[in-house]
């Protein structure tokens, strides 16, 4: 397994270089360094000299990828791409184009994101699997049908509706929790109730249907028929046999998304005023801050690669038949 | 939001153990059902207990459950406000944005400020002892009389005297030890271990403000590392600033080579000819030529004092890595100081204990006395102890929290306009009865800004100075009904523009004299837009009868470039198409991202565009320069986006800009406005109107669209606010109990069904 992990880690290097290159090209196809300078300098009284000065100060006055005017290896190294990307590989994210330390900002903003994402994930799992099992137990009945109709309806409703509806009902009409905002420390709990509840409820439709499908697939297998033939009660069949096997694809799926949890949720954080990472990349794209965009894309790629690697490893843990080679 | 769904769909680790425990086999024969029942029952009881406890806590608590602020702030003299966009720069040499001015204008004190109440806007001293009057010199530096013609004036000299008793806010940059050495001016990386905020420095100090601090800041405008947005403009006026920047450039590059990015460029060592210290409380600014508008710049943060100690302190290695920069932690002399800087969550201003003191104005307009705005006359400022600005990106939660009393004042978004505002029989806006019952009041003001649609005067079809082109532009200007636009898209919050100068600016004329005769008739004491038939007549005279090109017989096609993309803009863009269609002209909307739009504007490839301008200062020059030929966007990279050029207008502009306000200047402005009305390089658009709602506990609000340092005038009644908040935010618990009851009621048939299924035969 060690060899496998090392090999996968080495595979990640060209992937990350590729991701960096694609991000760089996409960004600079849309935004030229002149555009970036104008955006950062503001809309009024921006002179050409000021644009040139800004580019010089921020290192955007070099050629994008290849410096024809330079000699030898500096043809490559004396370019925007090289100077802005190479330090990412040692996780030095540098400073944003506005001058803030990106690493520090990420560290500060990931905790509020996690404060929403983790409870939402765990409570969502509990609720979704409970409903899915209940529905699977009553499969084929009118309850099953009604529940599926309800799930489809819940899936069809925009998350924005849940957010605004939740804020209106719980925060504004019933006055039970703050509509939005955030306080650090122990006082954060009352700001998390509503976004977590909205996150859980908005995910019930899809989550329940997903787990129900997994349970029903298990319930149609031969070992279940054997268990029933042995005279086991439906409860034991469902909880002791079906549930255990049905859970195999679930942890593997979770492990893949776990590292990405701290990237946050754009809508939830924006509407609830949670100072997380959800809007960090979007804000950076809007303000044409390439330093943040490249850092966040790079980080997202690294985390995704880690997630996939962990998924592979988790397969070996939950299913002894799987071996990594 | 797909992220949320994915998390739910692919997850599931903790549940099995819990479920297995709950559903574990029981010894009793019917243990299955009872196991389920007992678990659910216990859960329900626990939930009820928690809710009951919450209810009791809520009933006993003095703060509502939905209060977003710490309980310790209840009843405190704190002003609560919000910001929608994170500030990027708080350095007074760099910041040029209203969102940022919201913060730094409360911290920094430039020499002058605008009188809070008087209109038209008037400059009064702030850090200065008086509003400076310039002395004029000729090219040989000989004194000229104040009445000297502008062309004879080579230099204007402003001697600015500052108050001697002003001190800086407490700040670690000023902290000194017993020997007088600065505590924190030579810090190593080890010294900065554990330091992440300014508050992590234990010692602070302060000192008296000096004239040298103002000069230091003027020099900072030329600092190569700061990219001050007004450097380009000021280098054309302040004597020697251009050369000074070149000098600093080479010095700074050398310093950076030796010391790295955190090099401290000590500007005190490099004198600037145009900004010099005369004595401890006097400094002198020398301006090239005559530039009467310069005094307005003295009311902006660009000219506020910055202590060299702050630059020295923040330039140390390791500071920038911790986001400890002057761009994030301002150091000023104003009534407030920034104590919490988290642009992603909250910005907090606290009262500056060293504030020199200022009093609420004793005079205003006659209406101010009637409306109670002079009730606090002569009282010391500021009134509030702290200002908490929370980030609210979305308008809906902002509005809801305002209605709950958690924000003291609010604008009015389109979503909530009908709920908040209604128009009286006379057409004036007022709050709805529901708002009035809550004690909410409305203040309005026409802003010193303009939104317009422009013609590219370089374009072959719509541009140029031919009579044909003028008639085409005037015809379109009549057809685009901005009264309707304001009604539909601005909820009536605006005034149709009659020319480039908005109300409140010298040269604006009211009544019949102020009406644009090319677009409006004066009917029954009111301006009335000319009928569309008149526009069609003009269009026919311009060579497009019925909106068609007689050579081809095809409809005239015009292109409208805009950066407004997305579904939100569709209705507005459709409305523009409809206006042009009234003349038979086909309008093609070319919506692009802002970068492409800027490119088109810089290259002059657009035909029609929309643009706006918010005044820097209340002088007609600041609007008429938008049409001055040498400021053309294409040829001069200036703010004349329409690339309009009229030699007569330009000649009058050059005369007008250097004149003091008076009858002669007014006459010149009238002639200039007449010229541009005739030439119609813009479809004049509208002057936006500001609507501000505030609660009954919020006092002294008078919208002042020129001043940003207005927080110090606001007084609140914290006791009334706390009382109202409690009354408006009583928790409603019964829906929670109802949900639990419903869930429990649903269990009964569920359990019955479960038992029936367990007992049913397999086939």
């Amino acid at each position: 397994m060690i060899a496998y992990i090392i090999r996968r880690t080495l595979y990640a290097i060209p992937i990350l270089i590729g991701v960096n290159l694609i991000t760089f090209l996409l960004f600079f196809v849309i935004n030229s360094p002149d555009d970036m300078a104008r955006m950062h300098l503001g809309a009024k009284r921006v002179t050409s000299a000021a644009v040139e000065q800004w580019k010089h100060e921020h290192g955007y006055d070099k050629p994008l990828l290849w410096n024809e005017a330079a000699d030898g290896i500096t043809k490559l190294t004396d370019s925007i791409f090289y100077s802005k990307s190479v330090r990412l590989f040692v996780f030095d994210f540098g400073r944003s184009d506005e001058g803030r330390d990106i690493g520090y900002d990420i560290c500060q903003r990931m905790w509020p994101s996690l404060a929403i994402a983790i409870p939402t994930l765990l409570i969502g799992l509990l609720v979704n699997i409970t409903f899915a099992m209940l529905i699977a137990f009553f499969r084929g009945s009118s309850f099953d049908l009604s529940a599926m109709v309800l799930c489809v309806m819940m899936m069809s409703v925009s998350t924005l509706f849940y957010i605004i509806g939740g804020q209106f009902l719980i925060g504004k009409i019933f006055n039970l929790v703050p509509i939005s905002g955030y306080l650090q420390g122990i006082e954060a709990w009352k700001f998390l109730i509503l976004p977590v509840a909205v996150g859980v409820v908005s995910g019930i439709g899809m989550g329940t249907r997903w787990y129900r499908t997994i349970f029903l697939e298990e319930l149609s297998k031969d070992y279940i028929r054997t268990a029933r033939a042995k005279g086991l009660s439906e409860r034991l069949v469902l909880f002791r046999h079906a549930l255990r096997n049905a859970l195999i694809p679930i942890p593997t799926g979770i492990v893949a998304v776990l590292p990405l949890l701290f990237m946050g949720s754009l809508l939830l954080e924006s509407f609830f005023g949670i100072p997380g990472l959800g809007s960090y990349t979007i804000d950076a794209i809007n303000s044409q801050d390439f330093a943040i965009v490249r850092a966040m894309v790079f980080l997202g790629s690294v985390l995704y690669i880690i997630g996939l690697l962990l998924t592979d490893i988790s397969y070996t843990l939950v299913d002894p038949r799987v071996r990594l080679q | 939001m797909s992220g949320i769904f994915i998390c739910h769909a692919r997850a599931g680790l903790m549940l099995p153990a819990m479920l297995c425990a709950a559903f574990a086999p029981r010894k009793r024969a019917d243990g299955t059902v009872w196991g389920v029942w007992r678990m659910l029952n216990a859960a329900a009881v626990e939930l009820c207990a928690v809710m009951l406890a919450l209810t009791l806590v809520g009933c006993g608590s003095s703060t509502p459950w939905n209060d977003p602020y710490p309980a310790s702030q209840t009843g405190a003299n704190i002003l609560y406000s919000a910001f929608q966009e994170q500030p990027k720069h708080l350095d007074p040499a760099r910041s040029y944005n209203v969102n940022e001015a919201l913060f730094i204008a409360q911290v920094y004190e430039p020499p002058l400020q605008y009188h809070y109440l008087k209109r038209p806007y008037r400059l009064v001293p702030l850090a200065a002892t008086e509003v400076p009057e310039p002395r004029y010199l000729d090219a040989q530096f000989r004194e000229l009389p104040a009445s000297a013609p502008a062309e004879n004036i080579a230099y204007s000299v402003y001697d600015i005297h500052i108050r001697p008793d002003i001190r800086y806010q407490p700040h670690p940059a000023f902290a000194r030890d017993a020997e007088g050495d600065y505590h924190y001016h030579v810090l190593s990386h080890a010294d900065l271990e554990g330091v992440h905020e300014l508050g992590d420095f234990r010692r602070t100090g302060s000192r008296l403000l000096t004239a040298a601090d103002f000069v230091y800041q003027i020099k900072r405008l030329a600092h190569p590392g700061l990219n001050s947005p007004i450097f380009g403009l000021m280098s054309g006026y302040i004597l020697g600033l251009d050369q000074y920047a070149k000098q600093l450039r080479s010095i700074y590059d050398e310093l950076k080579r030796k010391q790295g990015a955190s090099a401290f460029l000590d500007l005190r060592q490099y004198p600037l000819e145009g900004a010099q210290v005369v004595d401890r409380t006097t400094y002198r600014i020398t301006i090239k030529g005559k530039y009467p508008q310069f005094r307005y710049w003295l009311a902006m943060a660009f000219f506020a004092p910055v202590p060299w100690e702050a630059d020295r302190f923040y330039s140390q290695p390791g500071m920038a890595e911790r986001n400890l920069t002057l761009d994030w932690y301002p150091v000023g002399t104003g009534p407030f100081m920034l104590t919490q800087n988290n642009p992603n969550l909250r910005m907090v201003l606290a009262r500056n204990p060293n504030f020199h003191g200022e009093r609420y104005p004793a005079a205003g307009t006659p209406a101010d006395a009637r409306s109670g705005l002079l009730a606090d006359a002569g009282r010391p400022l500021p009134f509030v102890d702290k200002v908490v600005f929370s980030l609210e990106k979305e308008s809906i939660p902002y509005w809801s929290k305002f209605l709950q009393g958690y924000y003291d004042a609010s604008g009015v978004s389109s979503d909530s306009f009908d709920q908040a505002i209604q128009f009286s029989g006379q057409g004036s806006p007022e709050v709805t009865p529901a708002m009035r019952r809550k004690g909410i009041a409305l203040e309005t003001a026409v802003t010193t800004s303009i939104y317009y649609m422009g013609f590219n005067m370089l374009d072959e079809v719509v541009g140029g100075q031919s009579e044909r082109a003028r008639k085409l532009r005037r015809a379109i200007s009549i057809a685009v009904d901005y009264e309707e636009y304001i009604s539909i898209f601005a909820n009536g919050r605006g005034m149709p523009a009659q020319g480039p100068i908005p109300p409140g600016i010298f040269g604006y004329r009211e009544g019949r004299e102020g009406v644009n005769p090319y677009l409006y008739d004066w009917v029954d004491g009111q301006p009335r837009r000319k009928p569309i038939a008149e526009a069609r007549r003009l269009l026919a005279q311009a060579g497009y009868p019925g909106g068609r090109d007689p050579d081809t017989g095809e409809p005239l096609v015009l292109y409208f470039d805009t950066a407004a993309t997305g579904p939100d803009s569709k209705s507005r863009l459709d409305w523009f198409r409809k206006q042009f269609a009234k003349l038979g002209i086909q309008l093609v909307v070319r919506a692009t991202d802002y970068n492409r739009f800027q490119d088109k504007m810089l290259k002059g490839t657009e035909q029609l565009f929309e643009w706006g301008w918010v005044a820097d200062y209340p002088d007609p020059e600041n609007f008429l320069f938008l049409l001055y030929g040498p400021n053309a966007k294409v040829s001069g990279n200036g703010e004349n986006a329409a690339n309009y050029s009229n030699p007569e207008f330009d000649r009058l502009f050059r005369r007008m800009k250097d004149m003091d306000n008076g009858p002669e200047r007014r006459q010149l402005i009238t002639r200039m406005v007449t010229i541009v009305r005739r030439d119609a390089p813009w479809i004049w658009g509208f002057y936006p109107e500001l609507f501000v709602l505030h609660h009954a506990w919020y006092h002294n609000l008078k919208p002042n669209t020129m001043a940003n340092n207005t927080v110090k005038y606001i007084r609140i009644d914290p006791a009334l606010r706390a009382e109202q908040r409690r009354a408006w935010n009583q928790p409603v618990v019964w829906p929670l109990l109802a949900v639990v009851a419903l869930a429990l009621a649903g269990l009964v048939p569920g359990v019955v069904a479960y038992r029936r299924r367990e007992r049913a035969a397999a086939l």
Side-chain angles (χ1 to χ4, degrees), chain A:
Chain A
M1 188 191 284
I2 300 289
Y4 177 83
I5 293 171
I6 292 171
R7 195 165 67 244
R8 286 289 299 269
T9 307
L10 292 175
Y11 285 165
I13 294 171
I15 292 172
L16 290 173
I17 292 173
V19 166
N20 244 312
L21 189 60
I22 291 169
T23 309
F24 181 85
L25 292 176
L26 286 176
F27 188 90
F28 281 99
V29 162
I30 306 293
N31 314 291
S32 69
D34 281 30
D35 296 331
M36 293 166 66
R38 279 193 213 101
M39 176 63 83
H40 287 276
L41 290 170
K44 291 171 100 173
R45 302 182 189 275
V46 180
T47 61
S48 306
V51 169
E52 293 305 317
Q53 175 75 21
W54 186 92
K55 281 160 49 182
H56 177 72
E57 277 301 311
H58 291 82
Y60 289 109
D61 55 347
K62 298 174 182 173
L64 287 178
L65 284 164
W66 190 256
N67 190 346
E68 272 299 332
D71 298 319
I73 191 69
T74 51
K75 279 181 186 291
L76 175 68
T77 57
D78 194 25
S79 65
I80 296 177
F81 176 69
Y82 186 87
S83 61
K84 299 286 178 188
S85 300
V86 74
R87 295 198 65 79
L88 288 176
F89 287 87
V90 290
F91 290 91
D92 178 358
F93 298 125
R95 306 181 68 75
S96 74
D97 290 336
E98 297 297 351
R100 285 185 70 86
D101 180 14
I102 296 172
Y104 179 78
D105 276 356
I106 290 173
C107 289
Q108 290 293 303
R109 296 172 72 146
M110 61 183 260
W111 297 112
S113 287
L114 284 174
I116 294 185
I118 290 176
T120 306
L121 173 73
L122 297 179
I123 298 171
L125 278 174
L126 185 73
V127 171
N128 293 346
I129 293 180
T130 306
F131 285 168
M133 287 178 67
L134 199 64
I135 294 166
F137 183 81
F138 290 110
R139 64 196 172 278
S141 68
S142 54
F143 175 74
D144 182 18
L145 183 67
S146 312
M148 282 305 96
V149 170
L150 188 64
C151 283
V152 171
M153 285 169 63
M154 291 180 78
M155 285 166 62
S156 310
V157 175
S158 159
T159 308
L160 201 58
F161 176 84
Y162 289 108
I163 293 173
I164 295 172
Q167 287 183 327
F168 181 76
L169 269 182
I170 311 295
K172 191 175 174 187
I173 302 297
F174 301 149
N175 300 322
L176 295 174
V177 291
I179 287 174
S180 68
Y182 192 75
L183 289 174
Q184 270 140 356
I186 195 73
E187 287 186 284
W189 70 270
K190 67 176 177 179
F191 297 93
L192 298 177
I193 291 175
L194 192 52
V196 168
V198 167
V200 169
V201 171
S202 65
I204 284 177
M206 183 174 277
T208 302
R209 276 175 59 83
W210 166 258
Y211 294 122
R212 173 184 171 274
T213 308
I214 292 173
F215 288 134
L216 289 184
E217 195 180 329
E218 287 301 317
L219 288 173
S220 65
K221 288 184 176 168
D222 287 345
Y223 74 91
I224 295 291
R225 193 177 302 126
T226 307
R228 287 193 183 123
K230 280 163 60 182
L232 293 180
S233 71
E234 191 65 11
R235 177 182 62 81
L236 285 178
V237 170
L238 195 60
F239 295 116
R240 182 172 289 180
H241 295 278
L243 178 60
R244 244 184 229 176
N245 288 293
L247 287 179
I248 290 174
I250 296 172
T252 52
I254 293 174
V255 170
V257 297
L258 268 182
L260 295 172
L261 280 184
F262 87 93
M263 301 290 270
S265 159
L266 172 66
L267 266 187
L268 275 181
E269 290 178 9
S270 184
F271 269 84
F272 287 104
I274 306 291
L277 277 172
S279 61
Y280 196 42
T281 313
I282 299 293
D283 287 345
I285 291 170
N286 287 337
S287 62
Q288 298 180 17
D289 197 322
F290 176 65
I292 296 176
V293 173
R294 67 171 159 74
M296 292 303 289
V297 172
F298 180 84
L299 191 62
S301 309
V302 169
L303 293 171
Y304 199 71
I305 289 168
I306 292 171
L308 292 178
L309 186 59
L310 291 176
T311 306
D312 288 349
I313 295 168
S314 69
Y315 269 121
T316 64
L317 300 177
V318 296
D319 190 344
R321 292 168 298 180
V322 176
R323 289 284 179 275
L324 297 178
Q325 291 182 341

Side-chain angles (χ1 to χ4, degrees), chain B residues 375-390:
Chain B
D376 287 319
R379 290 185 59 195
L381 301 175
F383 291 116
V384 297
D385 296 331
K386 196 188 265 192
V387 192
V388 176
F389 297 95
S390 304

Side-chain angles (χ1 to χ4, degrees), chain B residues 87-336:
Chain B
K88 289 178 182 171
H89 299 294
L90 299 178
D91 184 328
R94 304 178 73 180
S95 172
Y96 199 9
N97 186 311
V98 177
N99 294 324
E100 294 154 5
L102 180 67
F103 306 108
I104 65 168
Q106 324 309 327
V107 175
Y108 287 106
E109 288 188 311
L112 308 178
Q113 65 178 337
Y114 290 97
H115 195 284
Y116 183 52
L117 300 175
K118 287 183 180 173
R119 301 291 182 277
Y121 294 106
R122 183 180 300 181
L123 286 173
V124 292
L126 182 55
T129 54
E130 72 225 341
V131 178
E133 287 297 330
R135 290 183 292 118
Y136 299 121
L137 308 177
D138 65 11
Q140 283 73 45
F141 293 93
R142 288 178 305 219
E143 196 108 0
L144 293 171
S147 59
E151 56 269 21
N152 294 351
I153 296 172
Y155 305 103
S156 306
V157 178
Y158 290 81
D159 284 334
I160 300 163
H161 307 282
I162 59 162
R163 291 175 52 165
D165 57 341
I166 298 176
R167 293 188 71 82
Y168 280 101
Q169 66 177 77
H171 193 278
F174 300 118
R176 292 180 188 234
D177 58 22
E179 284 77 42
D181 296 327
Y182 287 100
H183 257 297
Y184 301 122
H185 280 208
V186 190
L187 295 173
S188 64
H189 280 286
D191 294 330
L192 290 173
E193 281 296 319
V195 172
H196 295 288
E197 294 178 359
L198 214 53
D200 293 331
F201 292 96
R202 284 191 303 114
R203 296 169 196 270
T204 60
S206 177
R207 71 161 168 83
L208 281 170
L209 174 72
T210 66
D213 300 327
F214 290 90
V215 171
Y216 186 81
Q217 164 67 357
I218 294 171
K219 291 176 179 175
R220 291 180 84 245
L221 300 178
H223 194 300
L226 294 179
N227 293 306
S228 176
I230 66 158
F231 167 71
L233 177 79
M234 285 302 151
S235 61
Y237 287 112
I238 296 177
L239 183 64
L241 193 65
D242 206 16
Q243 281 302 317
Y244 190 71
K246 286 176 187 154
Q247 180 193 0
L248 291 184
R249 169 86 270 165
S250 56
I251 297 167
Y252 186 58
D253 284 347
E254 182 62 25
L255 261 178
K256 278 208 298 186
R257 253 194 308 279
K258 287 180 183 165
Q259 298 177 19
S262 59
F264 171 53
L265 177 57
D266 191 351
L267 299 172
R268 293 173 300 163
Q269 296 177 13
Y270 309 102
L272 168 63
E273 197 177 359
Q276 293 179 337
V277 177
V278 176
D279 58 41
R280 196 186 78 77
T281 57
T282 309
Y283 66 105
R284 177 173 297 153
I285 302 174
T286 307
I287 298 293
K288 289 184 270 188
K290 187 178 181 185
Y291 183 37
Q293 293 77 25
F294 182 70
R295 71 184 69 179
Y296 295 115
W297 288 100
L298 295 176
M300 295 189 205
F302 293 115
F303 287 86
V306 168
W308 70 269
E309 292 94 331
D311 258 352
R312 175 74 188 83
F313 172 78
Y314 286 123
S315 66
Q316 296 176 89
M319 286 285 189
E321 286 80 356
R322 289 165 170 78
N323 293 327
L324 295 173
T325 66
L326 192 61
D327 212 17
W328 288 103
Y329 288 98
V331 188
T333 60
F336 297 99

Side-chain angles (χ1 to χ4, degrees), chain B residues 674-692:
Chain B
T674 304
I675 290 170
V676 291
R677 281 174 176 166
R678 184 199 66 203
D679 289 348
W682 298 354
I683 303 172
W684 295 105
F686 69 105
Y687 314 121
E689 206 167 346
L690 182 69
F691 279 34
V692 184

